[in-house]
Amino acid sequence: MKYNQSNIKKAKKYLDNNNCIGIPTETVYGLAGNAYSDIAVKKIFILKKRPRNNPLIVHYYNLSELKKDCVLNKDFFLLYKKFCPGPLTFVLKLKKNSKISKIVTNNKKILAVRFPKQRLFKKLIKNLGYPLAAPSANISNKLSSVKASDVKEEFGNKIKFVLDGGKCKVGIESTIISLIKKPEILRLGGLENSKIKKVLNKPITVNINPNKKNAPGQSKLHYSPGIPLRMNAKKLKKDEAFVVLKKKNIRNKDCFYLSKKGNLNEATKNLYSTLRKIKKKGYKSIAVEKIKSVGLGQSINDRLNRASKF
Ligand code: TXA
Ligand code: MG
């Protein structure tokens, strides 16, 4: 995607005026607003139809900006050094004098933060002077957006601008780790758990149970393409689209592969766009073949599993 200075300026202007806009990150597109502004943050909740008790992730340009708002610990620095910027979100203690709008955390004293890697995003946030609250740019519980056109599809003319950064390179949301007490993974995502474990070199609990209060957004029904989806399918039923990991040697117009050679990074990148495409083609339901739960396969299965609760 061509870098365009006037688009960055335009985006800044909208944000400075407390508007919400679509922004690219390497994981998925975000619906962004000034995290210090009650007005901007309220708009995000309304546009997304998001319950107020489901807190937002705040996106930063660099460490010195984050230090103003959060208490940082040893585990944080280890992970930050290795993985930031990148698809990892930290849940941290909020400082008393932080300027983050209380609406972002629903008055709680913990904040989810992240440092996106996407080029245009970095150019934009560098000169803002405030961090950006940004949930994924989709109506609550629906499929996240991985292209600027997806964001437009989700929100129509309810938002005034989407900064187009091309297709997201990771393709699913960030992995979330809480560092409030012992390290605890709250959402599987674009960074594999095994890589995190290697760096921290101590036990990490994985707590992605939807009934727990600590990640309110991990609801059972999530990431839904809006039509039924079943996993571990062996055969197609009538009117179903078939999603497979690797290209098969058969010609079948109802068969959609995620990666030509079965590469998991590529499959992750193509997951949401494939589901969106199938929905648009008018299929009534989706069958997905069994995908091994290793590495990013685990994150893919997590999303498919939640989408299957439709
Ligand atoms: O990749 C991503 O993380 C994308 C891009 C735009 O950065 N954002 C994203 O945001 O996925 P969202 O709002 O769709 O999902 C954020 C998740 C929700 O499940 C929310 O409940 C959880 O993070 N969360 C936010 N603040 C939290 C907190 N203080 N404690 C625990 N979970 C939190
Ligand atoms: Mg989301």
Side-chain angles (χ1 to χ4, degrees):
M1 185 57 51
K2 234 172 148 195
Y3 163 54
N4 184 335
Q5 187 64 40
S6 74
N7 280 349
I8 303 257
K9 272 197 188 143
K10 220 174 180 180
K12 175 168 161 39
K13 202 167 167 196
Y14 281 120
L15 291 166
D16 286 348
N17 288 321
N18 285 324
N19 289 301
C20 302
I21 60 165
I23 51 143
T25 84
E26 75 280 25
T27 56
V28 297
Y29 273 76
L31 179 64
N34 177 354
Y36 291 159
S37 157
D38 288 347
I39 301 172
V41 171
K42 259 187 211 165
K43 284 184 188 166
I44 296 178
F45 279 93
I46 294 169
L47 280 165
K48 252 192 90 100
K49 303 195 173 102
R50 178 163 176 131
R52 284 290 179 97
N53 66 358
N54 189 2
L56 306 177
I57 298 177
V58 175
H59 300 66
Y60 286 85
Y61 176 60
N62 65 19
L63 207 51
S64 59
E65 294 298 307
L66 176 67
K67 277 182 184 158
K68 296 177 191 164
D69 293 322
C70 288
V71 182
L72 309 179
N73 57 27
K74 202 178 144 207
D75 287 341
F76 168 81
F77 284 109
L78 284 172
L79 293 171
Y80 175 84
K81 257 193 193 156
K82 186 78 186 170
F83 299 120
C84 295
L88 179 62
T89 293
F90 305 92
V91 175
L92 301 168
K93 269 191 198 134
L94 200 54
K95 280 189 176 164
K96 277 208 182 85
N97 58 355
S98 145
K99 287 197 288 186
I100 295 291
S101 159
K102 292 192 168 42
I103 300 168
V104 167
T105 61
N106 194 29
N107 270 316
K108 299 254 166 33
K109 296 287 175 270
I110 56 169
L111 181 68
V113 303
R114 152 169 144 70
F115 299 88
K117 198 178 187 169
Q118 211 276 352
R119 209 164 56 100
L120 282 194
F121 174 88
K122 278 170 54 182
K123 289 210 189 306
L124 168 68
I125 200 161
K126 191 174 175 186
N127 297 315
L128 285 181
Y130 47 81
L132 287 175
S136 52
N138 53 279
I139 305 295
S140 274
N141 296 334
K142 296 283 183 262
L143 271 186
S144 299
S145 299
V146 292
K147 292 183 200 159
S149 57
D150 298 343
V151 184
K152 286 175 195 151
E153 243 173 66
E154 288 289 311
F155 296 103
N157 54 14
K158 289 195 183 122
I159 57 172
K160 294 195 178 101
F161 187 65
V162 183
L163 183 63
D164 189 343
K167 189 171 174 184
C168 299
K169 289 201 168 130
V170 174
I172 60 167
E173 300 78 1
S174 58
T175 299
I176 303 181
I177 187 163
S178 169
L179 299 176
I180 299 289
K181 292 178 188 153
K182 285 184 191 150
E184 191 179 29
I185 287 171
L186 303 180
R187 178 174 74 185
L188 304 179
L191 182 67
E192 295 99 311
N193 294 0
S194 57
K195 290 189 178 164
I196 296 175
K197 277 182 194 152
K198 242 189 217 163
V199 171
L200 290 183
N201 197 21
K202 62 173 158 186
I204 304 174
T205 43
V206 178
N207 191 359
I208 53 171
N209 185 330
N211 297 321
K212 292 274 157 64
K213 276 194 208 137
N214 50 6
Q218 288 292 74
S219 68
K220 271 189 187 149
L221 184 146
H222 220 113
Y223 312 110
S224 167
I227 50 176
L229 180 150
R230 64 187 180 98
M231 296 170 72
N232 304 323
K234 289 191 178 131
K235 273 191 188 157
L236 261 197
K237 291 180 191 165
K238 198 173 166 272
D239 294 336
E240 270 183 335
F242 196 27
V243 175
V244 297
L245 179 63
K246 194 173 160 180
K247 192 173 182 192
K248 298 206 187 298
N249 279 335
I250 44 161
R251 272 188 75 86
N252 179 345
K253 68 172 182 40
D254 301 323
C255 190
F256 299 82
Y257 62 89
L258 295 174
S259 157
K260 202 167 179 184
K261 296 197 166 145
N263 174 288
L264 282 174
N265 287 309
E266 199 185 0
T268 307
K269 182 178 174 185
N270 290 330
L271 179 68
Y272 291 152
S273 50
T274 304
L275 297 180
R276 211 175 259 276
K277 183 164 79 189
I278 289 170
K279 167 82 190 293
K280 269 198 230 159
K281 280 184 180 276
Y283 285 93
K284 295 285 177 285
S285 58
I286 303 175
V288 188
E289 75 168 357
K290 188 177 171 72
I291 295 173
K292 261 199 195 163
S293 267
V294 282
L296 285 176
Q298 225 184 339
S299 305
I300 292 177
N301 281 330
D302 174 83
R303 298 302 189 269
L304 290 172
N305 185 31
R306 289 174 207 276
S308 74
K309 303 292 188 279
F310 175 79

